[in-house]
Amino acid sequence: MNQAFGYNNINLPVIKSSSSLQEIIFEWKNEGLRIGFVPTMGALHEGHLSLVKLSLENAHRCIVSIFVNPSQFAPNEDFNSYPRDIQGDLYKLQSSGAHLVYTPDENEIYPDGIQTGIMPGKEAQGLETDFRPNFFNGVVNVVYRLFEHIKPDIAIFGEKDFQQLQVISEMVKDLDLDIEILGAPIIRDKYGLAMSSRNTYLSSEELVIARRLNKIIYKTAQNISDGMTVEKAINDAKVLLLEANFDKIDYVEERWNKLITAVWVGKTRLIDNC
Ligand code: PAF
């Protein structure tokens, strides 16, 4: 059943087909084990490993999926160049204590001729959707399919993609899925930059700029706590971001009692919140 052939020094089960996966999950459920699930698109970093850790603290078994989901990328986005490093990912997952990796092929998730899908709810309105109109459509459909294959008791999502966490929580509530959704705090490098697979795109000059983002949003949040109006604090933040050499600001907004932002450094889009 272990399909980890071709990977060096990996003992972790790496499963490609949902039918093989079902057999293992069936046994685990029969043994009364709670199943935790961490969905990813690979190119794993410390942020993802913190999701695995949280899953292990809350369930007996941790399944991690690695699937670069084509339906959440627009045609002009980076699906083809998205970083992929399956061997490196498996090493990291093996040492993190994950129990199984699910790496489905595209036709396992989107079988030929599939027509029916689901729509994201109101949490998907605005923010990311204003700039990536089909993004959450792709996310809810892939996550729903993965939930169907894995039937986890809990699923962990990073708070860096805070809107995604809200959209998934809303989906689980609306569709009455018996899955507990846990959010995991953002993991930052020592300069405060939120970990992201896309950070590998940044040149050393761009990295210096990117590391200014968290300082600006923390300062903005502090200004609001100190009594500045949200509107003024956000306008000031936009000025500071442009002065700090960010190339484009998609949004800086307050929602869910958080400051949420998406900005560009060169060709790399960064999201963050505090
Ligand atoms: O956050 C991500 O990496 C992706 O959006 C997810 C949840 C794995 C769905 O493809």
Side-chain angles (χ1 to χ4, degrees):
M1 209 159 288
N2 186 345
Q3 296 171 10
F5 306 120
Y7 301 120
N8 295 326
N9 301 320
I10 298 297
N11 308 313
L12 192 61
V14 182
I15 305 293
K16 273 191 170 304
S17 85
S18 85
S19 53
S20 307
L21 183 68
Q22 309 296 320
E23 288 174 32
I24 299 177
I25 291 173
F26 182 76
E27 279 175 30
W28 285 350
K29 294 224 165 188
N30 266 349
E31 290 169 41
L33 301 174
R34 237 169 101 75
I35 295 176
F37 172 44
V38 177
T40 82
M41 298 207 298
L44 304 181
H45 49 69
E46 282 172 55
H48 295 110
L49 303 181
S50 77
L51 308 187
V52 172
K53 183 164 179 284
L54 190 60
S55 172
L56 291 169
E57 285 163 6
N58 286 279
H60 303 103
R61 292 286 179 269
C62 171
I63 299 180
V64 178
S65 66
I66 298 180
F67 179 67
V68 186
N69 174 33
S71 74
Q72 69 190 72
F73 290 81
N76 60 332
E77 290 181 348
D78 56 344
F79 174 70
N80 288 326
S81 57
Y82 194 82
R84 289 163 172 86
D85 175 21
I86 184 73
Q87 176 73 52
D89 289 346
L90 294 178
Y91 270 128
K92 289 176 193 160
L93 290 174
Q94 183 157 278
S95 2
S96 73
H99 294 94
L100 185 152
V101 185
Y102 182 39
T103 57
D105 287 333
E106 199 174 322
N107 65 356
E108 205 57 70
I109 299 293
Y110 303 115
D112 260 358
I114 185 169
Q115 296 291 322
T116 306
I118 57 170
M119 295 285 290
K122 70 169 179 3
E123 299 290 15
Q125 285 167 14
L127 301 175
E128 285 298 291
T129 301
D130 288 344
F131 296 87
R132 309 178 72 195
N134 295 318
F135 172 67
F136 284 122
N137 212 309
V139 169
V140 291
N141 279 287
V142 75
V143 170
Y144 184 79
R145 300 285 293 171
L146 290 165
F147 281 176
E148 276 293 297
H149 291 180
I150 295 169
K151 302 237 167 33
D153 296 287
I154 63 168
I156 324 284
F157 292 81
E159 288 181 357
K160 181 171 78 72
D161 301 82
F162 202 77
Q163 189 177 15
Q164 172 172 275
L165 173 61
Q166 304 312 310
V167 168
I168 298 294
S169 302
E170 184 178 47
M171 172 186 96
V172 164
K173 182 168 147 285
D174 287 353
L175 301 182
D176 206 11
L177 305 179
D178 191 12
I179 301 170
E180 186 186 347
I181 302 298
L182 298 184
I186 298 176
I187 302 294
R188 298 178 180 279
D189 73 7
K190 66 176 174 184
Y191 304 97
L193 176 64
M195 298 274 179
S196 163
S197 305
R198 289 188 169 101
N199 290 353
T200 54
Y201 297 157
L202 297 166
S203 68
S204 47
E205 292 79 20
E206 290 172 337
L207 197 52
V208 172
I209 299 169
R211 286 176 170 150
R212 297 176 183 146
L213 177 60
N214 71 95
K215 294 176 188 73
I216 296 174
I217 58 166
Y218 274 92
K219 170 87 185 97
T220 307
Q222 187 61 53
N223 287 343
I224 296 171
S225 314
D226 291 347
M228 192 183 276
T229 64
V230 173
E231 196 188 352
K232 163 128 181 57
I234 286 178
N235 283 339
D236 288 359
K238 289 182 177 169
V239 171
L240 288 176
L241 285 165
L242 295 174
E243 281 173 4
N245 280 337
F246 287 91
D247 291 292
K248 192 154 106 49
I249 301 167
D250 278 355
Y251 56 81
V252 182
E253 276 186 41
E254 194 216 21
R255 209 194 276 189
W256 306 290
N257 215 15
K258 283 194 178 282
L259 261 181
I260 314 235
T261 185
V263 295
W264 290 83
V265 188
K267 292 196 165 94
T268 308
R269 189 169 185 269
L270 305 173
I271 59 171
D272 203 346
N273 66 76
C274 72

